[in-house]
Amino acid sequence: MAATSGCAPLFLGLDLSTQQLKGVLLNQHSSIVYEMGIVFDDEFPEFKTCNGRYVNGDTVTAPVLMWVAAIDLLMSRLKATGLAPYICGISGAAQQHGSVYWRQQGAETNKQLNPRVSLKQQFASAFAVLESPIWEDSSTSEQCRSLEQSAGGASELARITGSTAFERFTGPQIAKIKETQPHIWSQVSRISLVSSFVASLLIGDIAPIDCSDASGTNLYDIQCGRWSQELCDSIDPHLVQLLGERVVMANEVIGQLSSYYTERYNMPQCPVVAFTGDNPSAFAGFESMFATGRSAAVVSLGTSDTVLFPLEQYPYSLNASSVAMQHLDGHVLRHPTDRDIYIAMLCYKNGSLARDWVREHSLGSSSTWADFSNAADTEPMAPRAFGFYYLSTEILPRAKGIYRFEQHKNGSIVCPNGTRYQLVTAFSTSNQGDSHWSDARAIIESQFMSMCVDYAHKEMGAMTGIAITGGASSNPTLQQAVSDILGVPVFATAIRTTKGVDIRTPAMPAYGGAIRALDQHMKLTATVSKDGSKYTLQHICSPNNRKHAVYVQAMADFEFLRNHVSSGVCISGA
């Protein structure tokens, strides 16, 4: 069913995140014409989730049927707008690492859906596991060690899959289900990642997993571009077949929209493009805004902070002495749409929540973010003082606690260059005029200098620019600090209006999906142009070269102290 003649074609991007299902509709100029969101806790109280999931100690899951119901609800609301008939392509994303376990009955049901009956009713008996493990789960330490042993060690697993074993990754989660629930495992006929699960519902068949999301399983041989038979066999000899041998790029058409949606919601039978993980999809969405088509890095400042950047070469090699092989933290993923490129992903658990803790504890419970910015907007504290703020166990580095260091001629901590530091419980006043050392300045220096250190462990080339996003990205003090410390210009997503440019960030994983659907439509029809796109990347600040030089000189001391903290020899003090 084609879009009505004379009406501009639209492209739907979806994102099934932890707390909600988001959707965006783009026109042929890449501009968002409609956005919608289904917040799970609000819309489906019968599932009794908290922020979209169940938490039982280290085990964190989400009800699959809630996700199924959300698809129906979003589509019904889309139909009510009158825009559904004009959709000419669909793609999207989902939270990474989570997994869905199909029964054979469920896979067959998906092929012959009745448009007069809801998805939730039809899929009531479709899944062997009703509560899917998701990315927050950390209950698989035993399975992680077993997987590393099967690979020949943590470094060998990283060389093959791009990451050492992580509890939240799909491979250890699959192994746990097989080991602890054999009666459930015997019912599993196919396994989807959350991203390919959503795509499966849309095309009425089990959709292939894409290469970028496959990179978050600890099972995918990144360089060879296929599942590692050895690693999969270490869990189950049929695991490759359960996952699906075919792995696709995230810009490939994987099928047409199921007749369930065309008949129930008056949607066209349009192409569905492969879904991928939320981070790769967001990264590709940002790349579509860069004039060169390639971004240097994307920094997301949210509850957790995330850095993504492209790699021209795979960093993990047989050379065990290489810098990257000595620093296996972080993750390397296949690029979702470019076969020749990889993506490095650095995750920091202590992001905005840690900044908020510093604001409240150092400036008072009634303080505002403006107060935080005023306290943080000072001359560099580095290298005279450093602070580390790990309220919960950090990923990069593996550390927990609050640590403050000041240079002192009699300090007991000696850096390789001979500079001495002492551990203090509170910062003293600096000697730089009216400037004062503060936890507010120290935490942003610490967070962004960590990004510098970890970037250098994965990529030897210089960073050329940063697109900044996330809830904290609108803070001018943080924007300038990112630029000064990393030494590159900073950009933000913006929309062109008749009055100028307005800084505004769309839901990037969903936006990235809609862009891929639009790109495929362009290729298939050669009739749509993205010229005149209202979304762009707006330059917001450039580095202060004097300050950047200070941070460059301070980086070695910072990395030494960070390693000192993660070694466990320090006792933290708030």
Side-chain angles (χ1 to χ4, degrees):
M1 176 181 172
T4 301
S5 177
C7 182
L10 301 176
F11 305 91
L12 176 62
L14 300 174
D15 174 31
L16 198 160
S17 65
T18 310
Q19 300 186 45
Q20 63 179 309
L21 173 66
K22 288 168 278 191
V24 299
L25 277 176
L26 300 189
N27 62 17
Q28 73 270 33
H29 300 303
S30 319
S31 297
I32 294 177
V33 298
Y34 191 75
E35 297 181 83
M36 65 212 92
I38 307 297
V39 179
F40 300 139
D41 289 2
D42 296 341
E43 302 287 357
F44 306 111
E46 66 272 22
F47 287 101
K48 300 180 180 179
T49 56
C50 178
N51 296 321
R53 77 275 199 261
Y54 303 131
V55 179
N56 182 14
D58 291 335
T59 301
V60 186
T61 60
V64 186
L65 290 177
M66 181 181 70
W67 296 340
V68 169
I71 295 291
D72 255 342
L73 183 56
L74 184 141
M75 294 302 185
S76 67
R77 291 181 179 173
L78 183 59
K79 179 182 179 181
T81 67
L83 298 173
Y86 309 116
I87 295 173
C88 292
I90 303 173
S91 188
Q95 55 184 286
Q96 291 186 263
H97 314 304
S99 45
V100 176
Y101 300 81
W102 297 84
R103 287 183 172 139
Q104 183 61 38
Q105 173 189 346
E108 292 301 323
T109 297
N110 195 31
K111 295 179 180 180
Q112 45 192 2
L113 293 171
N114 183 343
R116 291 176 294 279
V117 182
S118 73
L119 291 177
K120 181 183 173 185
Q121 288 177 273
Q122 296 185 76
F123 282 117
S125 302
F127 308 107
V129 178
L130 290 177
E131 296 177 10
S132 287
I134 64 170
W135 66 274
E136 290 180 274
D137 189 282
S138 58
S139 66
T140 62
S141 297
E142 181 180 337
Q143 288 76 23
C144 286
R145 304 294 77 79
S146 296
L147 195 58
E148 289 180 342
Q149 184 177 3
S150 297
S155 61
E156 182 62 12
L157 183 64
R159 189 189 66 78
I160 297 170
T161 71
S163 301
T164 58
F166 278 84
E167 284 83 356
R168 68 183 184 275
F169 274 38
T170 322
Q173 295 292 340
I174 292 172
K176 178 189 172 185
I177 289 174
K178 183 187 177 183
E179 292 169 13
T180 61
Q181 304 179 73
H183 61 294
I184 295 293
W185 181 255
S186 65
Q187 302 174 38
V188 176
S189 69
R190 287 296 300 271
I191 300 173
S192 294
L193 300 186
V194 182
S195 59
S196 64
F197 161 71
V198 179
S200 298
L201 295 182
L202 295 177
I203 66 173
D205 202 355
I206 304 300
I209 295 170
D210 94 287
C211 61
S212 197
D213 219 7
S215 305
T217 64
N218 275 145
L219 298 172
Y220 185 67
D221 189 323
I222 286 189
Q223 294 185 88
C224 294
R226 59 175 179 266
W227 299 112
S228 167
Q229 190 72 53
E230 180 181 358
L231 292 174
C232 289
D233 285 351
S234 73
I235 297 175
D236 188 281
H238 304 293
L239 185 52
V240 170
Q241 288 70 38
L242 293 174
L243 291 166
E245 292 190 28
R246 181 188 175 206
V247 178
V248 299
M249 302 297 293
N251 55 358
E252 292 185 36
V253 174
I254 56 172
Q256 298 292 310
L257 187 64
S258 165
S259 60
Y260 174 85
Y261 304 93
T262 63
E263 296 182 34
R264 187 178 178 93
Y265 298 116
N266 197 30
M267 299 174 71
Q269 193 178 49
C270 60
V272 176
V273 179
F275 279 48
T276 186
D278 50 4
N279 286 306
S281 186
F283 185 78
F286 274 108
E287 283 190 331
S288 72
M289 298 181 191
F290 271 80
T292 62
R294 178 73 67 224
S295 65
V298 174
V299 173
S300 176
L301 302 178
T303 302
S304 59
D305 293 341
T306 305
V307 183
L308 298 109
F309 51 93
L311 298 170
E312 299 293 334
Q313 295 182 332
Y314 189 64
Y316 301 144
S317 65
L318 292 174
N319 180 8
S321 63
S322 68
V323 172
M325 288 300 289
Q326 295 300 310
H327 300 278
L328 297 172
D329 298 321
H331 313 294
V332 178
L333 315 174
R334 271 282 184 183
H335 192 286
T337 61
D338 190 330
R339 295 181 186 276
D340 299 322
I341 299 294
Y342 303 91
I343 299 175
M345 184 167 71
L346 309 174
C347 301
Y348 303 90
K349 188 181 295 185
N350 294 276
S352 285
L353 292 182
R355 290 186 286 268
D356 190 44
W357 182 91
V358 164
R359 176 193 59 77
E360 183 172 332
H361 282 74
S362 65
L363 301 174
S365 59
S366 62
S367 63
T368 65
W369 283 108
D371 297 327
F372 177 92
S373 296
N374 289 335
D377 190 13
T378 67
E379 287 294 305
M381 289 174 61
R384 295 164 295 142
F386 296 101
F388 299 87
Y389 304 82
Y390 306 134
L391 306 185
S392 56
T393 302
E394 186 52 84
I395 300 170
L396 291 170
R398 190 78 173 178
K400 185 176 182 178
I402 311 299
Y403 308 87
R404 301 176 184 86
F405 300 92
E406 292 183 357
Q407 281 186 5
H408 194 281
K409 64 180 180 179
N410 297 319
S412 60
I413 304 167
V414 185
C415 293
N417 62 7
T419 307
R420 290 180 174 269
Y421 289 87
Q422 65 180 6
L423 186 66
V424 298
T425 57
F427 290 120
S428 59
T429 302
S430 80
N431 296 318
Q432 298 295 311
D434 295 328
S435 179
H436 295 274
W437 291 346
S438 69
D439 286 312
R441 183 67 193 182
I443 189 172
I444 63 175
E445 289 190 3
S446 176
Q447 290 175 332
F448 301 149
M449 291 180 79
S450 274
M451 293 176 185
C452 280
V453 167
D454 297 320
Y455 175 87
H457 291 165
K458 295 287 184 288
E459 174 60 64
M460 299 305 294
M463 194 181 291
T464 58
I466 287 174
I468 191 170
T469 185
S473 65
S474 61
N475 185 305
T477 301
L478 268 64
Q479 293 169 353
Q480 190 61 55
V482 168
S483 186
D484 291 344
I485 293 171
L486 279 77
V488 294
V490 171
F491 302 83
T493 53
I495 185 168
R496 298 188 185 98
T497 69
T498 55
K499 297 181 179 180
V501 176
D502 179 22
I503 302 296
R504 191 185 308 170
T505 302
M508 287 307 298
Y511 180 85
I515 285 291
R516 297 196 305 280
L518 167 58
D519 286 344
Q520 277 300 321
H521 184 79
M522 291 173 61
K523 292 177 183 178
L524 292 172
T525 65
T527 58
V528 178
S529 171
K530 291 195 293 182
D531 292 343
S533 170
K534 291 185 178 181
Y535 275 97
T536 184
L537 282 172
Q538 177 74 11
H539 174 258
I540 53 177
C541 61
S542 294
N544 178 306
N545 292 331
R546 176 184 60 80
K547 291 182 179 180
H548 177 59
V550 171
Y551 292 116
V552 170
Q553 293 175 350
M555 204 63 67
D557 283 3
F558 172 82
E559 184 171 6
F560 176 83
L561 291 173
R562 195 180 80 152
N563 291 340
H564 188 69
V565 165
S566 64
S567 70
V569 298
C570 284
I571 299 176
S572 69

